[in-house]
Amino acid sequence: MSLKYEQFKNHLQKVGDLKYAANVLHWDQEVYMPKNGAGPRAQQLATLSGVIHELSTDKKLGDLLAELRTDSTLTFEQKRNVEDAFDKYTKNLRYDVSFVQEMSMAVSEAFQSWNKAKEASDFSMFAPHLEKLVKLKRQETEILGYTDHPYDALLDQFEPKAKTADITALFEDVKSVMVDFVKEIAACPQNDDAFMSAHYDKDDQWDFGIELLTQMGYDFDSGRQDVSSHPFTTNFSATDVRVTTRINENDLNEMIWSCIHEGGHALYEQGLPTEEYGLAGGEYLSLGVHESQSRLWENNVGRGKSYWKANYASLKAKFPEALGNVSFDQFYRGMNIVKPSLIRTNADELTYHFHIIIRFEIEKALIEGSVEVNDLPALWNAKYKEYLDIDVPSDAMGVLQDIHWAHGGFGYFPTYSIGSFYAAQFYATAKEEIPGLEAEIEAGNMKPLLAWLREKVHAHGRIYTADELCERITGSKLNFSHFMTYARAKYSELYAMAPVSQEA
Ligand code: CO
């Protein structure tokens, strides 16, 4: 390894140390911190992020990058690590201190006003703060630069190299087939899931969740699970990846789906190459690819028949009162109910995408300046009527439901849907390449699938772009038809519909 590359690697590892130290503080804040710790903790995190910014824009790093970019002795992986770092370095340099401070003030004010507005269910309380944020975000698109659409600059922060035009086209595909498909399902006799809201003891749920994580291959020597109000995964290194879950004694769904979902995120982080710590090769590729891992486990595996053939007996044994009279078939149907609903986070795996499309269309319009903040509630409600045929009763259950905009997270939402579509495409290939995959899952053996994901996705960190990775794995770029093939096969059976031959 060249001396310069070694120095570059050391520099980025230090930045990594600080970033992961900040993650520990964030994790503690969500899981264990007493409420009086909030003030000093915010200060500690602000100081750390200042130091991270200094180190990330250090001239020494810039000089190293300039030399390494012309070094022809580097391997392909080393070149990609350097290019990724160069891209981040040049972007970091574009922010001046006053803009960063103004943004962080605007975000904290917007966040507080969003909390109050949501409680009062009154969008007008949040509107002036959101207006300010949108103005700053539009400024940020100019700071970062873009070639086609200003929203590209924001999208790129979560899904590097993704383009607004491609996502718009993708979502047009989704709408063109899914609106009708969901209507077809709604016209069929409906399944029942009342048993999911029977009483389920907290401790027994916890134990079952641990069983599921263990079976998936989550390594408890390199992580742990705790409880938090919003389930999440965070990492301090590939050998310390934490997950949290949420348990509701009157709704089994919350624990099961959060455990499997966060477990999927965590397996990705635990599978990243430890020797590439702090470099692109040791970090996740994009939020879309991250979400592909959580959703592949949650939906393609976890909501599948084989998975519950492996696990339903154990679940039933833990909750004989709630599930004693619920057959396997009833359980499988109950956990796969498709029904348009108001709240994104409770949506089923099909109608979920309309929640995302609505948010994408609105934030894209805000950033390009084709709608005004004050028009949002009416626009939101009209889109829910158009795509999901439901009436939104209040701002709290409508335009104010998500935290993302209050946090300044514009460009984040599309990654959720992209993740599901990647998941379906990856899983279709996994089925072709892993002999007897469904039979292995049915036997409770998740090892072949995990080994495949490790080799195809986890081992590469961010060495490839998402397009490149998807092509390497599946032979083509992201293509929504895989999701529709999966959805049609599964839900036609669940709802006893006539088979449809035409595909998107
Ligand atoms: Co997720």
Side-chain angles (χ1 to χ4, degrees):
M1 203 188 301
S2 81
L3 181 65
K4 294 282 173 200
Y5 189 82
E6 190 124 17
Q7 288 171 341
F8 154 76
K9 196 171 169 180
N10 287 340
H11 194 102
L12 286 204
Q13 283 177 346
K14 270 197 193 122
V15 177
D17 289 341
L18 292 165
K19 268 189 346 200
Y20 293 125
N23 281 359
V24 181
L25 294 184
H26 272 295
W27 170 82
D28 172 74
Q29 181 174 302
E30 299 293 318
V31 177
Y32 286 120
M33 188 185 75
K35 77 172 191 285
N36 291 343
R41 180 57 52 85
Q43 187 186 309
Q44 291 151 0
L45 283 165
T47 299
L48 259 179
S49 83
V51 179
I52 292 169
H53 184 73
E54 264 170 44
L55 208 56
S56 306
T57 50
D58 190 339
K59 191 173 174 303
K60 262 189 349 215
L61 176 62
D63 293 344
L64 281 171
L65 286 167
E67 287 195 46
L68 287 168
R69 290 187 75 214
T70 58
D71 183 343
S72 58
T73 65
L74 298 185
T75 65
F76 170 78
E77 282 79 11
Q78 290 174 333
K79 275 193 191 117
R80 286 286 169 106
N81 282 333
V82 168
E83 283 311 315
D84 184 272
F86 179 73
D87 185 56
K88 292 204 160 40
Y89 177 78
T90 47
K91 279 178 183 151
N92 277 328
L93 275 184
R94 289 190 198 135
Y95 289 95
D96 64 59
V97 181
S98 66
F99 181 81
V100 173
Q101 281 169 347
E102 203 184 347
M103 180 68 92
S104 108
M105 281 290 257
V107 166
S108 75
E109 278 164 19
F111 178 64
Q112 286 169 31
S113 86
W114 170 76
N115 268 318
K116 287 182 195 143
K118 193 176 176 185
E119 209 170 299
S121 192
D122 181 357
F123 180 75
S124 70
M125 292 164 68
F126 178 51
H129 300 277
L130 182 59
E131 222 157 86
K132 170 100 208 233
L133 267 187
V134 169
K135 203 180 126 230
L136 287 170
K137 281 285 152 184
R138 292 178 67 176
Q139 243 174 287
E140 193 175 9
T141 66
E142 299 305 325
I143 291 171
L144 289 167
Y146 56 86
T147 42
D148 305 323
H149 194 288
Y151 187 81
D152 287 349
L154 303 180
L155 193 55
D156 188 75
Q157 296 175 312
F158 306 107
E159 197 60 29
K161 313 243 190 284
K163 292 281 178 239
T164 309
D166 294 336
I167 301 217
T168 305
L170 173 72
F171 286 171
E172 288 306 318
D173 276 354
V174 178
K175 284 194 282 186
S176 73
V177 287
M178 269 240 285
V179 171
D180 289 340
F181 189 54
V182 169
K183 277 186 191 149
E184 272 180 73
I185 291 176
C188 295
Q190 297 301 297
N191 299 321
D192 179 35
D193 68 345
F195 56 84
M196 290 300 265
S197 29
H199 180 83
Y200 293 91
D201 177 78
K202 225 179 183 135
D203 294 337
D204 291 332
Q205 283 200 53
W206 172 268
D207 291 345
F208 187 67
I210 298 288
E211 271 178 33
L212 294 185
L213 284 170
T214 307
Q215 184 189 56
M216 287 166 75
Y218 176 83
D219 179 1
F220 280 92
D221 288 332
S222 297
R224 55 176 282 133
Q225 180 174 259
D226 291 272
V227 168
S228 69
S229 50
H230 300 283
F232 67 97
T233 303
T234 187
N235 66 313
F236 315 145
S237 67
T239 47
D240 191 350
V241 181
R242 312 282 173 102
V243 289
T244 70
T245 189
R246 171 165 66 188
I247 300 179
N248 178 342
E249 294 213 297
N250 301 307
D251 185 359
L252 184 59
N253 285 296
E254 292 192 10
M255 186 284 298
I256 287 187
W257 307 121
S258 68
C259 263
I260 305 176
H261 183 96
E262 301 308 328
H265 279 305
L267 289 175
Y268 185 16
E269 295 284 351
Q270 287 186 337
L272 292 168
T274 48
E275 64 283 3
E276 295 287 279
Y277 175 91
L279 301 170
E283 291 180 345
Y284 72 90
L285 201 167
S286 69
L287 286 189
V289 172
H290 224 309
E291 200 67 11
S292 79
Q293 300 306 290
S294 57
R295 288 178 188 231
L296 183 144
W297 285 98
E298 179 189 348
N299 294 332
N300 304 87
V301 178
R303 289 181 199 269
K305 252 187 203 166
S306 314
Y307 188 79
W308 288 102
K309 283 193 178 150
N311 292 307
Y312 190 52
S314 161
L315 179 69
K316 213 168 166 160
K318 281 204 165 54
F319 304 104
E321 276 175 37
L323 296 171
N325 295 320
V326 179
S327 71
F328 175 83
D329 197 55
Q330 284 171 309
F331 183 76
Y332 174 62
R333 285 171 190 278
M335 81 169 84
N336 280 302
I337 286 178
V338 171
K339 195 169 187 247
S341 60
L342 282 166
I343 307 296
R344 175 182 62 85
T345 52
N346 297 338
D348 59 80
E349 63 171 324
L350 298 188
T351 62
Y352 185 87
H353 300 294
F354 294 112
H355 294 267
I356 296 304
I357 292 171
I358 289 166
R359 286 153 178 77
F360 167 73
E361 289 177 350
I362 291 175
E363 61 183 21
K364 179 181 151 195
L366 280 173
I367 296 303
E368 68 191 15
S370 58
V371 299
E372 298 296 324
V373 164
N374 287 325
D375 300 331
L376 254 49
L379 185 60
W380 181 283
N381 299 352
K383 284 183 184 287
Y384 268 78
K385 189 72 192 165
E386 186 187 349
Y387 301 151
L388 288 163
D389 197 25
I390 49 178
D391 296 304
V392 178
S394 66
D395 290 347
M397 298 185 85
V399 67
L400 288 175
Q401 69 180 263
D402 299 299
I403 199 172
H404 300 59
W405 291 341
H407 268 332
F410 293 83
Y412 193 118
F413 283 120
T415 68
Y416 292 123
S417 285
I418 293 172
S420 288
F421 305 152
Y422 274 131
Q425 192 163 339
F426 294 166
Y427 198 68
T429 306
K431 271 186 164 179
E432 284 168 18
E433 294 186 357
I434 304 170
L437 174 59
E438 292 296 331
E440 295 291 356
I441 293 174
E442 203 175 311
N445 181 16
M446 309 297 160
K447 286 197 180 89
L449 177 60
L450 180 56
W452 188 86
L453 291 169
R454 289 266 194 258
E455 180 200 328
K456 302 284 175 179
V457 182
H458 307 175
H460 305 295
R462 196 166 57 242
I463 289 301
Y464 301 111
T465 66
D467 273 353
E468 287 169 347
L469 186 82
C470 190
E471 275 200 78
R472 282 173 59 93
I473 298 172
T474 70
S476 61
K477 288 189 183 149
L478 181 63
N479 181 340
F480 174 65
S481 69
H482 297 281
F483 183 85
M484 257 340 265
T485 304
Y486 153 77
R488 283 198 198 283
K490 177 170 170 181
Y491 289 95
S492 301
E493 191 206 355
L494 274 159
Y495 283 89
M497 292 157 64
V500 185
S501 57
Q502 214 185 338
E503 288 307 336

